[in-house]
Amino acid sequence: MEFINLTDLVPIIPEIIVLLTACTVLLVDLFASKKDRAFTLAVTTIFGLVLAMLSETQLHNRDLSGFYGTVVADDFSVLFEFIYMSVAILTVFVSQHYIAENEMNFGEYYVLLLTSVSGMMFMTSGLDLLVIFIGLEIMSISSYILVGMKRKVAEANEAALKYLLLGAFSTGFLLYGISLLYGATGSTLLPEIIAEIKQNGADNPLVVVGTALVIIAMSFKIAVVPFHMWTPDVYTGAPTPVTGFLSGAAKAAGFAVFVRILLTGIPLESANWENLLWILAVLTMTVGNVMALRQNEVKRMLAFSSIAHA
């Protein structure tokens, strides 16, 4: 077996740039003068994200893989990573006035934003279920803290706690699903899992239950009914720019994993899977829109609208 070399790092250069930017922001926060700190932090964050987007353009149409095929830089990952970074740049712009007004001038805000984006990027470029899981956890832990960033506001603390508890619940589903798929196929690499399922059929009980648990876990992340309970409270309690970030980038990351695993991977020939997905879709559209009509608060209405769009 060949050892890992520098070429393995090429597919994850944008992720490395984003993480290095997060480290730079931490240092800037320590040494920048108090007067210019907020502006300097925002500029550093945007500069790092733009640099990562430029590196993404170099990966377009190259289909590179690294670390024994566990990560890949294909057009699918490049597209979604562009979306995450664009939403993050927009979030930085709209955060400027908000964090000054709400006394949230913490360098950690930008660090958490960047680490959350890096987690989403690892989720999208991962071809191994464990890499996807690690990316999901990096994104989730950063998001939990961002939601509770308004430390002195009870609503924000409540939202962060609900998000943490339900996020941990969905993580349990995902890990159990991954372990069952590993037990059925002997691998956590998506191409090998797909090949094994195509060869031996998708009727193995371990494959059925494992896939169902992965679908449930990802349904939590994109707020599909009936796994949407956290969304209205979290969106209402979170700082407004963070709400926008979660409804844009975090939801797109969940969809990216859904597409990677189901639509380009695990076979859906069995009518039962198609039935399950369309029932979830109809439920989500109906409940999301009906509940949105009943809301008196704009952020809660938008939360249910976001559920319906899923």
Side-chain angles (χ1 to χ4, degrees):
M1 182 180 286
E2 288 182 12
F3 286 108
I4 291 166
N5 53 47
L6 286 174
T7 56
D8 287 297
L9 295 174
V10 176
I12 58 166
I13 284 174
E15 286 89 334
I16 293 169
I17 291 171
V18 171
L19 288 172
L20 287 174
T21 306
C23 296
T24 308
V25 168
L26 266 180
L27 292 172
V28 170
D29 186 41
L30 281 174
F31 298 111
S33 65
K34 194 170 184 180
K35 184 184 174 185
D36 303 321
R37 184 181 295 163
F39 178 73
T40 312
L41 290 172
V43 169
T44 308
T45 305
I46 291 170
F47 178 76
L49 288 166
V50 169
L51 202 61
M53 290 174 86
L54 290 173
S55 69
E56 287 282 7
T57 60
Q58 302 303 309
L59 296 173
H60 180 53
N61 281 335
R62 291 182 66 183
D63 285 336
L64 300 171
S65 63
F67 297 98
Y68 309 117
T70 55
V71 291
V72 66
D74 53 10
D75 289 350
F76 177 79
S77 67
V78 168
L79 169 67
F80 272 94
E81 285 171 19
F82 252 97
I83 293 170
Y84 310 148
M85 287 186 279
S86 301
V87 173
I89 289 170
L90 194 62
T91 304
V92 173
F93 276 119
V94 299
S95 297
Q96 283 293 286
H97 186 62
Y98 187 90
I99 62 177
E101 268 195 349
N102 291 271
E103 297 177 3
M104 284 171 51
N105 283 321
F106 314 121
E108 298 97 312
Y109 178 82
Y110 296 104
V111 175
L112 290 165
L113 200 66
L114 288 164
T115 50
S116 184
V117 170
S118 72
M120 295 172 196
M121 292 165 78
F122 278 114
M123 280 170 69
T124 313
S125 10
L127 277 186
D128 187 291
L129 289 175
L130 290 178
V131 174
I132 291 171
F133 167 72
I134 291 166
L136 180 68
E137 284 305 286
I138 294 170
M139 177 194 83
S140 299
I141 291 166
S142 303
S143 301
Y144 302 152
I145 304 168
L146 280 170
V147 167
M149 209 72 182
K150 289 162 79 173
R151 301 168 186 175
K152 297 173 184 175
V153 179
E155 258 190 358
N157 295 330
E158 182 191 344
L161 187 62
K162 283 181 178 175
Y163 197 15
L164 169 65
L165 293 174
L166 284 166
F169 194 57
S170 71
T171 297
F173 278 111
L174 181 62
L175 271 179
Y176 199 36
I178 290 171
S179 66
L180 290 176
L181 286 172
Y182 177 75
T185 61
S187 178
T188 54
L189 270 171
L190 275 175
E192 290 179 13
I193 290 173
I194 292 154
E196 188 72 25
I197 291 173
K198 283 181 177 173
Q199 186 178 337
N200 298 320
D203 298 326
N204 183 333
L206 287 178
V207 172
V208 172
V209 178
T211 307
L213 288 173
V214 170
I215 289 173
I216 288 169
M218 296 320 300
S219 296
F220 266 106
K221 292 301 171 189
I222 62 172
V224 166
V225 173
F227 312 107
H228 67 293
M229 300 82 69
W230 59 273
T231 314
D233 291 329
V234 170
Y235 280 22
T236 306
T240 306
V242 174
T243 303
F245 178 69
L246 291 177
S247 62
K251 190 158 277 198
F255 272 110
V257 174
F258 239 130
V259 172
R260 178 80 83 186
I261 294 175
L262 295 175
L263 300 187
T264 62
I266 292 170
L268 290 175
E269 282 81 18
S270 166
N272 294 332
W273 288 121
E274 290 180 3
N275 287 342
L276 172 67
L277 290 171
W278 79 250
I279 288 168
L280 285 177
V282 170
L283 269 176
T284 304
M285 283 187 281
T286 308
V287 173
N289 284 317
V290 169
M291 290 302 292
L293 290 171
R294 295 174 57 84
Q295 303 308 313
N296 296 321
E297 195 178 339
V298 173
K299 280 172 91 172
R300 286 187 76 85
M301 185 193 72
L302 290 174
F304 280 108
S305 174
S306 172
I307 291 166
H309 286 132

